[in-house]
Amino acid sequence: MTIEKPLVETLTEADAAEELAFLAAELARHDALYHAKDAPEISDADYDALKRRNEAIEARFPELVRDDSPSRKVGAAPSGIFQQIVHARPMLSLDNTFSDEDVRDFVHSVYRFLGVLPDDSIAFTAEPKIDGLSMSLRYENGKLVGAATRGDGTTGENVTANIRTIKEIPQTLPSGVPEIVEVRGEVYMGKSDFLALNEQMTALGRQTYVNPRNTAAGSLRQLDPTVTATRKLRFFAYAWGEMSDMPADTQLGMVKTFETWGFPVNPLMQRFTSIEAIIAHYRNIGLERPDLDYDIDGVVYKVDRLDLQARLGFRSRSPRWATAHKFPAEQAFTTVEKIDIQVGRTGALTPVARLTPITVGGVVVTNATLHNADYIEGIGNNGERIREPDHDIRIGDTVIVQRAGDVIPQVLDVVMEKRESGSVRYEFPKICPVCGSHAVRERNEKTGKLDSVTRCTGGFVCRAQAVEHLKHFVSRNAFDIEGLGAKQVDFFFEAEDEKLWIKTAPDIFTLEKRQGESALTKLENIDGFGKVSVRKLYDAINGRRQVSLQRFIYALGIRHVGETTAKLLARHYGSYTAFADAMQTAGDLSGEGWSDLNSIDGIGEVVARAIVEFYKEPRNLEVVGRLLKEVTPQDAETPIVSSSPVVGKTVVFTGSLEKMTRDEAKAKAESLGAKVAGSVSKKTDIVVAGPGAGSKLEKARELGVQTMDEDEWIALIGG
Ligand code: IVH
């Protein structure tokens, strides 16, 4: 509903004063709803309209500008309400496992990585995975000096004042603790406290909260710590960040130490050495789950010995030494109202079931992915049957949906007794619903099998592909441009005024320039973009004109090139010029460029081909060329270990290693700044050959590459 307001020009001074008072109060109320309660009542556009009206009235009656005028508070940015804290050590996440089989694989992978250890000799801890918010608490000389949320893992929000109101968190530690201590763990709200809070809300006639986790999050994001203090937040310590001294050498030892320092730790944490014992503990915790006064969504297993944890190290986002064994998903029945097709960045057509809304495990589910045409038919990724032959998914079917954690809900099966007699098989589209181009299933060159994905052949012509490409480009792990989310990308892509167009990535960086003279007036006149938000957007864009090579390559959106591959490429080639030049020549499949690309450990032929294809397409080169006029990819960082004798060297391991596993050798070499390749070429610096080495060793000798055995290698890198 919009209420017509009198034109500013027609207001009397008395009207103006009254309205300014109203606007000050109203905007302050919306600020509070937005920032403190995470529950805005109006859209950003309506909020901006109120602000603009306030400014217009003030412009006409400058003498009426109030001390508490919203125009004086422009600094309060939506997400900038808390200061940022850069974590001394990144806060990582955990890999998930879902079945006993996955757990066995995890344990075996630990043994495999470490090699040579006898069965059941590695101890693992098992403890509940608390469904709350992870928190890093920093103590210096025994005093709590800072508390930060996880954020993106590198940078979190400073919520120290709020954390100080949590009684379970010690403000000071006993004497004798290390000078720097960072204790990490989970802030959560007890189930009983959550229910009590909701009863109170109901009694006050206010809206109730959805679940303990969101309520805990909202309570921590209060600007006013006295509000946080009224919420009964709690804490479990289970990990650490920077420590100037290590008080124990096992996971369990560390947690026990935290307990003696006054931190609450979870009583269900135990240590085991056999897979069976770990899984039995998981089942027991599952049985206790309903009676616990806090929400948990699985059990976390961690290698107990810290020296082994150090050897295992990390993948890009998660440690190799831990995994979260999730509890089974929750299920419910509902009906498929229709099936929509979404077209992704690479043209993949994904069918989505629109469901009659249903609550599954406390969350309302309205959509479920149907993956692809085969999945609808009841056929899995490897051609195997995943449902009975006649259980294809149809519009109107009653289905079982499942939701596990944050994963997109799935349709598991069809309830055949409820299928209507007139129902018809779903026919998968043969043309792209967005651009009308043919949609085809490609044939895998190697296996000769049809790909499970149906793909739009429209390429750049397809609006959906272009838009999704842009969304990928600005996403968190790519250019990470704040203020340019999915909604804004849609807006700029569809904008009527050419000056506002963002059709390809380089357009993002010319947006400000294209607004001409009135750089700050053009965009801000559009609903939803205030003066401040426009300036912030331009600043965010300009802040990304320098970007890491890894992010740059990832952002290009080359098929099959995810973050890990982008990182491998960045490390291998070092600079964008080196990478692009190499990709130009790699098109010659008999040349050095192609074999060099394929020699990168972790890059297979399918990926290599996709990269080469990308660089063959003139349109891609044109877009990248324009992008490079605006943006400078930074050369890949050489690791900090400048003293290592193998920095920048390309190493190939071949034959069997006896002192460490191949994975460990590779991780170690990389941590010392070496590049590990899978095959020997002129660019190889060192070949480490163990017993049984064959053609790679021969080739090394032929090319005059330095070779050594495992002991010599260990001596070289200093153990
Ligand atoms: S260990 C390097 N232990 O789960 C790994 N995490 O999915 C550090 N979490 O961000 C995490 N209970 O917020 C660990 N007992 C537990 C946990 C736990 C909950 C959360 C934590 C983390 C997320 C990872």
Side-chain angles (χ1 to χ4, degrees):
M1 183 179 64
T2 49
I3 299 169
E4 284 294 329
K5 290 272 178 64
L7 288 173
V8 173
E9 288 76 357
T10 65
L11 290 177
T12 65
E13 187 164 339
D15 292 340
E18 193 182 321
E19 205 184 332
L20 286 177
F22 163 79
L23 286 167
E26 187 66 359
L27 283 160
R29 190 172 74 83
H30 289 303
D31 281 340
L33 285 170
Y34 188 101
H35 296 308
K37 302 215 170 59
D38 277 344
E41 274 179 16
I42 56 172
S43 69
D44 290 1
D46 288 349
Y47 177 88
D48 284 345
L50 288 179
K51 269 206 141 155
R52 278 204 300 275
R53 176 138 179 117
N54 187 71
E55 279 164 24
I57 300 174
E58 286 181 348
R60 201 175 147 224
F61 299 102
E63 68 288 0
L64 292 184
V65 175
R66 303 166 57 91
D67 283 340
D68 65 347
S69 164
S71 62
R72 300 191 168 194
K73 294 196 258 180
V74 280
S79 64
I81 51 169
F82 292 104
Q83 278 178 339
Q84 309 252 298
I85 287 193
V86 177
H87 298 301
R89 299 270 157 80
M91 289 182 79
L92 298 152
S93 51
L94 293 168
D95 248 17
N96 290 327
T97 37
F98 295 96
S99 63
D100 293 0
E101 204 45 46
D102 289 350
V103 176
R104 290 200 179 87
D105 286 349
F106 161 71
V107 172
H108 290 148
S109 74
V110 167
Y111 274 91
R112 215 176 316 118
F113 190 96
L114 294 171
V116 299
L117 292 169
D119 282 0
D120 291 353
S121 63
I122 302 176
F124 290 85
T125 57
E127 64 194 291
K129 183 169 190 296
I130 318 296
D131 199 8
L133 296 122
S134 48
M135 186 60 53
S136 189
L137 308 169
R138 187 175 172 94
Y139 295 81
E140 286 173 8
N141 299 311
K143 301 256 172 322
L144 177 66
V145 293
T149 59
R150 177 167 182 273
D152 62 3
T154 310
T155 312
E157 283 185 320
N158 182 346
V159 289
T160 315
N162 291 344
I163 285 295
R164 287 191 197 282
T165 69
I166 302 181
K167 294 190 189 62
E168 287 193 346
I169 294 181
Q171 303 271 330
T172 49
L173 302 182
S175 61
V177 301
E179 194 182 322
I180 295 172
V181 165
E182 274 185 18
V183 172
R184 291 178 175 175
E186 206 83 353
V187 170
Y188 66 96
M189 181 178 271
K191 289 185 199 167
S192 51
D193 289 331
F194 170 74
L195 292 175
L197 177 65
N198 263 355
E199 262 171 42
Q200 212 181 329
M201 298 307 275
T202 314
L204 292 170
R206 310 242 301 264
Q207 221 181 342
T208 53
Y209 295 97
V210 183
N211 60 35
R213 189 184 177 285
N214 288 2
T215 316
S219 306
L220 261 190
R221 286 181 52 85
Q222 295 288 336
L223 273 181
D224 178 358
T226 57
V227 178
T228 315
T230 65
R231 306 282 169 77
K232 295 203 178 97
L233 296 182
R234 310 192 59 184
F235 184 73
F236 277 128
Y238 54 66
W240 56 94
E242 187 181 352
M243 299 288 285
S244 56
D245 240 323
M246 289 298 279
D249 53 13
T250 60
Q251 184 74 32
L252 193 62
M254 288 297 284
V255 172
K256 292 264 184 244
T257 308
F258 293 157
E259 190 173 18
T260 67
W261 290 352
F263 292 94
V265 300
N266 194 283
L268 298 171
M269 179 179 188
Q270 282 191 44
R271 174 163 54 193
F272 304 96
T273 48
S274 80
I275 298 179
E276 272 52 48
I278 292 173
I279 294 178
H281 192 53
Y282 164 86
R283 301 233 192 287
N284 285 335
I285 293 180
L287 292 175
E288 276 194 50
R289 186 180 182 194
D291 301 325
L292 298 174
D293 191 31
Y294 45 88
D295 279 334
I296 63 174
D297 55 356
V299 174
V300 183
Y301 308 136
K302 300 172 187 168
V303 170
D304 192 39
R305 268 173 52 184
L306 303 186
D307 59 331
L308 298 185
Q309 286 190 3
R311 278 177 60 191
L312 284 153
F314 299 89
R315 291 180 222 92
S316 49
R317 275 165 204 289
S318 58
R320 284 196 194 88
W321 44 264
T323 189
H325 190 180
K326 302 299 274 290
F327 289 127
E330 311 199 47
Q331 300 181 353
F333 294 99
T334 186
T335 47
V336 176
E337 293 184 348
K338 62 180 183 143
I339 296 177
D340 282 341
I341 299 284
Q342 286 176 349
V343 184
R345 171 169 64 87
T346 57
L349 267 51
T350 306
V352 177
R354 305 292 178 199
L355 307 166
T356 309
I358 178 86
T359 310
V360 192
V363 170
V364 179
V365 170
T366 48
N367 304 316
T369 177
L370 298 176
H371 302 286
N372 52 52
D374 280 352
Y375 189 88
I376 294 180
E377 288 297 317
I379 296 164
N381 270 343
N382 299 318
E384 78 283 12
R385 278 239 150 256
I386 50 172
R387 293 189 297 274
E388 295 294 314
D390 53 345
H391 288 209
D392 60 299
I393 298 165
R394 303 180 182 190
I395 295 166
D397 273 350
T398 297
V399 291
I400 306 172
V401 291
Q402 162 170 302
R403 192 186 67 90
D406 295 336
V407 183
I408 313 165
Q410 314 272 333
V411 171
L412 284 193
D413 206 352
V414 178
V415 184
M416 296 305 284
E417 301 78 57
K418 297 220 168 167
R419 177 169 277 175
E420 288 161 18
S421 55
S423 88
V424 286
R425 270 184 185 270
Y426 176 74
E427 190 152 339
F428 206 87
K430 295 193 172 51
I431 58 162
C432 170
V434 175
C435 71
S437 303
H438 285 290
V440 297
R441 291 177 66 166
E442 290 160 14
R443 203 167 279 283
N444 184 310
E445 283 180 27
K446 276 191 187 151
T447 60
K449 281 196 196 138
L450 269 190
D451 205 2
S452 54
V453 178
T454 307
R455 227 173 266 283
C456 159
T457 54
F460 301 107
V461 173
C462 182
R463 192 191 140 271
Q465 291 190 47
V467 173
E468 292 308 313
H469 194 89
L470 283 168
K471 289 180 185 167
H472 167 82
F473 186 89
V474 300
S475 66
R476 204 179 212 186
N477 300 323
F479 268 71
D480 189 20
I481 300 179
E482 205 172 319
L484 198 53
K487 215 170 73 183
Q488 289 80 9
V489 168
D490 284 332
F491 166 82
F492 286 114
F493 193 88
E494 299 294 349
E496 278 173 25
D497 185 346
E498 204 172 317
K499 280 188 182 162
L500 296 176
W501 274 0
I502 295 182
K503 298 284 186 192
T504 58
D507 301 343
I508 296 169
F509 295 93
T510 58
L511 180 68
E512 182 176 1
K513 222 165 32 197
R514 279 184 286 131
Q515 309 303 298
E517 291 282 283
S518 47
L520 273 179
T521 56
K522 198 79 190 167
L523 184 51
E524 76 185 52
N525 291 334
I526 292 162
D527 253 3
F529 292 92
K531 193 172 186 167
V532 178
S533 62
V534 172
R535 187 64 256 160
K536 285 189 89 180
L537 174 61
Y538 292 151
D539 288 347
I541 292 172
N542 291 329
R544 293 289 185 263
R545 288 183 187 269
Q546 310 266 329
V547 65
S548 73
L549 180 56
Q550 175 188 338
R551 278 178 184 268
F552 186 87
I553 296 176
Y554 173 68
L556 295 179
I558 304 170
R559 207 162 141 194
H560 304 304
V561 178
E563 272 180 279
T564 312
T565 307
K567 190 172 176 179
L568 292 174
L569 293 166
R571 269 178 154 232
H572 186 82
Y573 293 99
S575 72
Y576 184 73
T577 329
F579 170 60
D581 288 352
M583 291 312 103
Q584 295 293 343
T585 62
D588 168 12
L589 300 193
S590 56
E592 178 74 11
W594 172 250
S595 64
D596 183 45
L597 175 60
N598 278 275
S599 79
I600 304 173
D601 211 9
I603 294 195
E605 196 174 329
V606 174
V607 183
R609 229 175 244 282
I611 305 170
V612 168
E613 289 301 320
F614 180 91
Y615 278 91
K616 270 193 195 155
E617 168 66 50
R619 157 86 190 199
N620 290 335
L621 299 179
E622 184 264 322
V623 173
V624 175
R626 275 194 290 128
L627 184 60
L628 286 169
K629 290 209 175 80
E630 305 293 334
V631 169
T632 318
Q634 304 295 292
D635 291 353
E637 283 167 32
T638 21
I640 337 93
V641 277
S642 54
S643 59
S644 149
V646 294
V647 170
K649 298 252 160 88
T650 300
V651 184
V652 173
F653 292 97
T654 180
S656 53
L657 300 177
E658 286 162 345
K659 305 259 161 57
M660 51 189 151
T661 61
R662 185 72 69 89
D663 281 343
E664 190 178 2
K666 183 177 166 207
K668 177 83 184 168
E670 283 175 349
S671 76
L672 293 171
K675 297 179 205 165
V676 179
S679 61
V680 179
S681 73
K682 269 187 274 178
K683 294 209 176 125
T684 313
D685 295 298
I686 302 172
V687 170
V688 182
S695 61
K696 288 185 193 173
L697 181 58
E698 251 167 55
K699 180 142 188 215
R701 292 205 174 114
E702 249 168 55
L703 295 172
V705 172
Q706 183 185 9
T707 63
M708 59 180 73
D709 65 17
E710 190 179 359
D711 286 337
E712 286 168 319
W713 166 253
I714 290 172
L716 174 67
I717 61 173

